[in-house]
Amino acid sequence: MLAKDSKIYVAGHHGLVGSAIWNNLKARGYENLIGRSHKELDLTDQVAVRKFFDEERPDAVVLAAAFVGGIMANSLYRADFIMQNMKIQCNVISEAYAHQVKKLLFLGSTCIYPKNAPQPMKEDCLLTSPLEYTNEEYAIAKIAGLKMCESYNLQYGTNYIAVMPTNLYGPNDNFHLENSHVMPAMMRKVYLAKLIHDDNWQAIRRDLDIRPVEGVDGSSSQEAILDVLAKYGISDNKVVLWGTGTPLREFLWSEDMADASVHILLNVNFSDIIGIEKYSSVHYGAAIDGTVDRNHSAGRGGALPKLGEIRNCHINVGTGKELTIRQLSELVVQAVGFEGTVEFDATKPDGTMRKLIDVSKLHSLGWTHHVEIDDGVRKLFEWYKQSLQ
């Protein structure tokens, strides 16, 4: 357990999960939190990250910062998705080790699992068959991140834990029409189609002032606004969504993810995941409470042969429940009060057809989710409307 005065760096503290983790830690009495915006600290800049760690010397790190997006963004920016995320992970994890950080929590994604993995997906199905092509680069980066945590633990005796959340949604979500995930993009599309039908141009312009689309904002002409929204399947009382609507998805409220993350940060060690008896029975040269002996790791890392093969030490975080994209659209339509039509463009990719995770390891570590999807969709729409005030 980290002391209440521990200095905790939350990387990505303005983002969907990072902001929720920040608030969760505050609510538990952890006041000594550090955050930097992207403008203040570019995590892809190795020199800047090293300078930050030199100055701040955090006791613990939550790595919630990432370059993220949905199917369209993953398809368009493949090089960015692998390179930006690898830079962020390598810089933060290596500097955490160099500065003797006691505990690190790395946030990945369940897109790490094979496209045709058995459902629900257990942690052990990692790297057993090919990935989904549309998000392959992001998945490979996140696999590398969890392997970094695992490998540092095995070689240096660190206490770095990797958690793999399912699809997340909640306060501070990204509602960008091109780069956001499925639920916020869908919600904004439905809302704007309703506003067009209601001829509520004041609300439409307010929406675009806060979140411009391809440079089109609230000051643009009605024609320009309608043209750019049409590109994203938004028109008068009608929304067109990508795919067939048949893929199954699991969704987790971001504040639930934050609660799970903080629970693991405070209560779960690497030894709890791989088996304390096996791990501690070998003279290892480094304690897994974060006290690192940098002299024991000459060669290939001390006790590795005696420990045998240790892999898949990450933790799935989700609800263990799923619904189709079409069912999700129905919940969004209900929450928004939309009376128009929602169509699916089957010529566009669906992505992975099913992505349900097995959360038995998470449950065994003492945490289960709280917010169900129907209530969560309503809560997200209320937050979105408030963000437009």
Side-chain angles (χ1 to χ4, degrees), residues 1-2 6-9 53 58-63 96-97 99-106 149 153 158-162 261-273 288-292 315:
M1 176 70 77
L2 291 168
S6 297
K7 182 181 281 191
I8 304 174
Y9 168 44
F53 274 86
D59 299 303
V61 170
V62 177
L63 182 43
Y97 171 70
H99 292 82
Q100 302 187 48
V101 165
K102 296 176 182 177
K103 191 77 174 283
L104 182 143
L105 187 74
F106 170 73
C149 293
N153 292 342
T158 50
N159 199 9
Y160 301 167
I161 311 296
S261 297
V262 175
H263 172 81
I264 291 166
L265 179 70
L266 301 181
N267 301 299
V268 178
N269 293 311
F270 187 59
S271 58
D272 300 317
I273 299 169
I288 56 169
D289 64 358
T291 307
V292 180
I315 305 167

Side-chain angles (χ1 to χ4, degrees), residues 39-103:
K39 288 182 178 180
E40 293 170 323
L41 176 60
D42 179 0
L43 293 178
T44 68
D45 183 336
Q46 184 179 18
V47 174
V49 174
R50 180 171 299 154
K51 183 174 184 289
F52 166 78
F53 274 86
D54 284 344
E55 294 172 352
E56 293 294 345
R57 300 274 172 177
D59 299 303
V61 170
V62 177
L63 182 43
F67 187 81
V68 299
I71 291 177
M72 182 186 292
N74 274 270
S75 299
L76 291 173
Y77 310 119
R78 298 181 74 88
D80 289 342
F81 271 89
I82 191 165
M83 186 59 74
Q84 299 299 321
N85 284 299
M86 288 293 292
K87 284 182 178 178
I88 290 169
Q89 294 161 194
C90 288
N91 290 341
V92 173
I93 293 173
S94 64
E95 292 305 323
Y97 171 70
H99 292 82
Q100 302 187 48
V101 165
K102 296 176 182 177
K103 191 77 174 283

Side-chain angles (χ1 to χ4, degrees), residues 154-155 297-305:
L154 292 173
Q155 183 171 346
S297 58
R300 56 168 301 181
L304 286 181

Side-chain angles (χ1 to χ4, degrees), residues 305-355:
K306 291 183 180 179
L307 288 173
E309 291 189 359
I310 293 177
R311 54 167 60 96
N312 302 329
C313 303
H314 56 285
I315 305 167
N316 288 340
V317 182
T319 65
K321 301 178 181 181
E322 62 188 345
L323 77 167
T324 67
I325 296 298
R326 187 178 295 275
Q327 288 172 324
L328 174 64
S329 72
E330 292 167 358
L331 291 178
V332 169
V333 162
Q334 185 177 20
V336 175
F338 183 61
E339 296 180 350
T341 59
V342 175
E343 297 180 1
F344 287 86
D345 182 357
T347 67
K348 296 294 193 296
D350 273 324
T352 306
M353 292 307 295
R354 195 181 183 205
K355 284 180 60 179

Side-chain angles (χ1 to χ4, degrees), residues 2-301:
L2 291 168
K4 288 292 173 69
D5 62 349
S6 297
K7 182 181 281 191
I8 304 174
Y9 168 44
V10 181
H13 75 296
H14 286 316
L16 173 63
V17 186
S19 61
I21 289 174
W22 181 285
N23 293 335
N24 191 286
L25 284 165
K26 283 275 191 181
R28 293 176 188 242
Y30 289 85
E31 296 290 340
N32 195 7
L33 306 181
I34 318 165
R36 294 288 187 276
S37 68
H38 178 70
K39 288 182 178 180
E40 293 170 323
L41 176 60
D42 179 0
L43 293 178
T44 68
D45 183 336
Q46 184 179 18
V47 174
V49 174
R50 180 171 299 154
K51 183 174 184 289
F52 166 78
F53 274 86
D54 284 344
E55 294 172 352
E56 293 294 345
R57 300 274 172 177
D59 299 303
V61 170
V62 177
L63 182 43
F67 187 81
V68 299
I71 291 177
M72 182 186 292
N74 274 270
S75 299
L76 291 173
Y77 310 119
R78 298 181 74 88
D80 289 342
F81 271 89
I82 191 165
M83 186 59 74
Q84 299 299 321
N85 284 299
M86 288 293 292
K87 284 182 178 178
I88 290 169
Q89 294 161 194
C90 288
N91 290 341
V92 173
I93 293 173
S94 64
E95 292 305 323
Y97 171 70
H99 292 82
Q100 302 187 48
V101 165
K102 296 176 182 177
K103 191 77 174 283
L104 182 143
L105 187 74
F106 170 73
L107 276 68
S109 165
T110 53
C111 73
I112 62 169
Y113 292 118
K115 179 175 183 177
N116 298 314
Q119 305 286 320
M121 299 179 291
K122 292 180 177 289
E123 287 86 355
D124 288 344
C125 73
L126 180 67
L127 297 176
T128 55
S129 62
L131 298 165
E132 160 60 38
Y133 181 75
T134 56
N135 60 21
E136 191 173 42
E137 280 68 24
Y138 183 73
I140 288 172
K142 289 302 179 181
I143 291 169
L146 74 87
K147 284 295 181 182
M148 286 179 212
C149 293
E150 187 178 283
S151 300
Y152 267 84
N153 292 342
L154 292 173
Q155 183 171 346
Y156 297 118
T158 50
N159 199 9
Y160 301 167
I161 311 296
V163 291
M164 299 297 125
T166 189
N167 299 287
L168 299 173
Y169 68 106
N172 295 311
D173 218 331
N174 172 20
F175 284 79
H176 191 289
L177 291 180
E178 185 179 59
N179 295 328
S180 66
H181 287 123
V182 59
M183 191 188 300
M186 179 189 297
M187 186 170 285
R188 188 180 181 196
K189 288 178 180 181
V190 170
Y191 179 59
L192 286 169
K194 180 179 187 296
L195 293 180
I196 293 171
H197 182 70
D198 294 343
D199 201 30
N200 189 345
W201 279 94
Q202 181 179 357
I204 293 170
R205 293 184 184 281
R206 177 62 178 164
D207 183 283
L208 290 172
D209 273 336
I210 294 175
R211 299 177 179 89
V213 179
E214 296 186 9
V216 175
D217 59 20
S219 65
S220 302
S221 67
Q222 287 194 17
E223 182 180 10
I225 291 173
L226 291 174
D227 283 347
V228 75
L229 294 183
K231 288 179 60 177
Y232 293 91
I234 306 164
S235 56
D236 183 349
N237 232 23
K238 180 181 175 182
V239 172
V240 179
L241 303 175
W242 277 34
T244 63
T246 58
L248 288 156
R249 289 291 181 271
E250 174 183 10
F251 293 94
L252 180 67
W253 183 245
S254 61
E255 292 173 335
D256 271 358
M257 175 58 196
D259 194 60
S261 297
V262 175
H263 172 81
I264 291 166
L265 179 70
L266 301 181
N267 301 299
V268 178
N269 293 311
F270 187 59
S271 58
D272 300 317
I273 299 169
I274 67 172
I276 183 68
E277 183 177 352
K278 179 180 180 182
Y279 193 68
S280 62
S281 65
V282 182
H283 177 65
Y284 190 54
I288 56 169
D289 64 358
T291 307
V292 180
D293 176 2
R294 283 163 173 72
N295 297 318
H296 89 286
S297 58
R300 56 168 301 181

